[in-house]
Amino acid sequence: MQISPSILSADFANLEHELDAIRSADWAHVDVMDNHFVPNLTLGLPVVEALLKVSPVPIDCHLMIENPDRWAPPYAEAGAKSVTFHVEAANDPVTLAREIRAQGARASMALKPGTPWEPYAELLPEVDMVLVMTVEPGFGGQAFMADMMPKVAAVRESVRRHGGEVWIQVDGGVSASTIEQCADAGADVFVAGSAVYGADDAAANIARLRDLVRGHTHP
């Protein structure tokens, strides 16, 4: 059970300090948005390269961008330990996942709420993680979509059948009141933005979220 705070909810003027505040987390989740695939613009490769130099935890890049086939591998090459692309935007997800892995990063595929899981289940051998979005991608602070839990459960069942170790990540509205639903459905990596950065003590918030899912295991 891993906690991956999203710096989308952090103070962008003090990102080195904000990363230091989450040194007890498993990952730092960095949302890259291009104002094309989603209607928001955040940060890109130069900022990620700067974050990689100072982050006390590995960086998990979630690329909400068009043409990830071209733009995703450089994030892995720069040193991000996990790179997530959206299946809706990838032209050749198999080749893309292999290129990300070849750079030494974990390859992950993400699905928007309206994207069904079944057409992409065959990609499981090529990826290390599946991200099930529990909000519409583009903005932080949205309400958690509990109706995505059956999709999380379906991914977990596919992973069981497939074998191997593929993580299942949830992102969007994950908080102390929703994280156990996600764990029960089959998630084991939890992206939390405002639930970590929204109060004074980020480390205490991380510890609280971790305590809530401790003991939840998935075969």
Side-chain angles (χ1 to χ4, degrees):
M1 295 292 168
Q2 302 178 66
I3 307 297
S4 182
S6 169
I7 67 164
L8 190 62
S9 298
D11 177 1
F12 271 33
N14 295 288
L15 284 177
E16 184 173 0
H17 173 267
E18 297 284 66
L19 285 168
D20 190 63
I22 61 165
R23 62 173 50 251
S24 61
D26 298 284
W27 297 86
H29 187 86
V30 177
D31 290 304
V32 175
M33 307 183 196
D34 64 357
N35 208 26
H36 294 283
F37 182 70
V38 290
N40 195 6
L41 186 66
T42 53
L43 46 80
L45 186 58
V47 175
V48 170
E49 288 173 334
L51 296 176
L52 285 162
K53 291 175 183 168
V54 299
S55 180
V57 292
I59 284 183
D60 165 29
C61 284
H62 176 195
L63 306 182
M64 290 170 265
I65 60 173
E66 289 186 349
N67 197 11
D69 303 75
R70 176 180 177 186
W71 298 114
Y75 286 86
E77 189 177 358
K81 295 301 182 190
S82 177
V83 177
T84 300
F85 60 88
H86 270 267
V87 291
E88 304 91 351
N91 293 317
D92 184 353
V94 171
T95 298
L96 175 54
R98 290 177 181 177
E99 287 182 5
I100 291 169
R101 281 174 156 181
Q103 297 289 350
R106 296 176 63 87
S108 170
M109 59 175 170
L111 293 86
K112 296 201 289 188
T115 303
W117 162 243
E118 288 69 23
Y120 301 102
E122 63 190 29
L123 295 175
L124 274 179
E126 304 293 341
V127 298
D128 302 288
M129 184 169 73
V130 178
L131 166 53
V132 177
M133 291 297 299
T134 43
V135 296
E136 288 294 339
F139 294 92
Q142 296 184 67
F144 176 76
M145 298 171 70
D147 58 348
M148 290 298 106
M149 295 303 96
K151 187 194 289 189
V152 174
V155 178
R156 174 56 61 191
E157 183 55 34
S158 295
V159 170
R160 279 196 195 101
R161 287 199 303 267
H162 161 65
E165 187 182 351
V166 179
W167 299 347
I168 301 174
Q169 185 180 65
V170 285
D171 178 6
V174 176
S175 68
S177 61
T178 61
I179 192 168
E180 289 180 276
Q181 294 177 57
C182 300
D184 288 341
D188 49 16
V189 186
F190 308 91
V191 177
S194 49
V196 169
Y197 280 115
D200 292 340
D201 191 341
N205 293 334
I206 291 166
R208 183 182 181 204
L209 293 172
R210 192 171 270 136
D211 283 344
L212 286 168
V213 293
R214 186 170 281 124
H216 291 262
T217 57
H218 307 296

